[in-house]
Amino acid sequence: MPYEAVNETVYTIAATAKGGRTGQVKSEDGVVDLPLGKPGSTSSPKANPETLFAAGYAACFNGALNLVASNEGLDTSESTVTADVTFGKTDSGFGLAVAIEAAIPGVDEAKAQELVEKAHEVCPYSKATRGNIDVTVTGRPA
């Protein structure tokens, strides 16, 4: 799908980070105000950019799933979406990959997969990452 410019603003939010991966991040509305830590710390786990990206992608994808399902007369409000974000080395530095799994009550495996593939087409996070990072989507009955 080609690039689509935003032609009507619905919502804008800003967040400011200081100190990089071991600093602090705060949204302008104060809803997010977190100390950051490097990934993999087990002694004192803290949020990191991958944590925040996973949370945002999972929430956005779940909204897209509910939208496409409601267009088909299905209620997926009890579905859950997990975005598993991987940070790793690439040939040119570092990169991300995402595996999305949706557990959808009341549908069979084929319908669950069909719904997540449709959600992947309309989810703004999916659109933003398409062609830039590896993203896999899997739907399963809950």
Side-chain angles (χ1 to χ4, degrees):
M1 179 177 258
Y3 163 77
E4 290 181 86
V6 172
N7 56 28
E8 181 182 339
T9 300
V10 174
Y11 176 72
T12 300
I13 186 70
T16 302
K18 182 177 180 183
R21 288 183 168 276
T22 57
Q24 184 86 13
V25 65
K26 184 176 182 178
S27 61
E28 68 183 353
D29 60 6
V31 171
V32 173
D33 189 357
L34 300 169
L36 300 175
K38 290 187 178 179
S41 172
T42 55
S43 62
S44 179
K46 292 184 174 70
N48 59 61
E50 293 74 31
T51 306
L52 299 170
F53 184 65
Y57 204 157
C60 188
F61 197 93
N62 196 221
L65 175 63
N66 291 337
L67 174 68
V68 299
S70 70
N71 289 341
E72 295 186 21
L74 299 171
D75 178 8
T76 57
S77 59
E78 293 300 313
S79 65
T80 59
V81 173
T82 301
D84 188 351
V85 174
T86 298
F87 172 78
K89 292 182 179 180
T90 67
D91 291 339
S92 61
F94 292 94
L96 299 173
V98 181
I100 294 176
E101 182 175 305
I104 308 169
V107 298
D108 63 23
E109 193 167 330
K111 187 62 174 181
Q113 187 63 33
E114 176 189 322
L115 289 170
V116 296
E117 288 174 10
K118 287 179 179 178
H120 190 46
E121 291 302 312
V122 300
C123 173
Y125 273 66
S126 292
K127 288 180 179 182
T129 59
R130 190 167 289 117
N132 297 311
I133 65 173
D134 289 334
V135 177
T136 59
V137 295
T138 304
R140 63 174 177 80

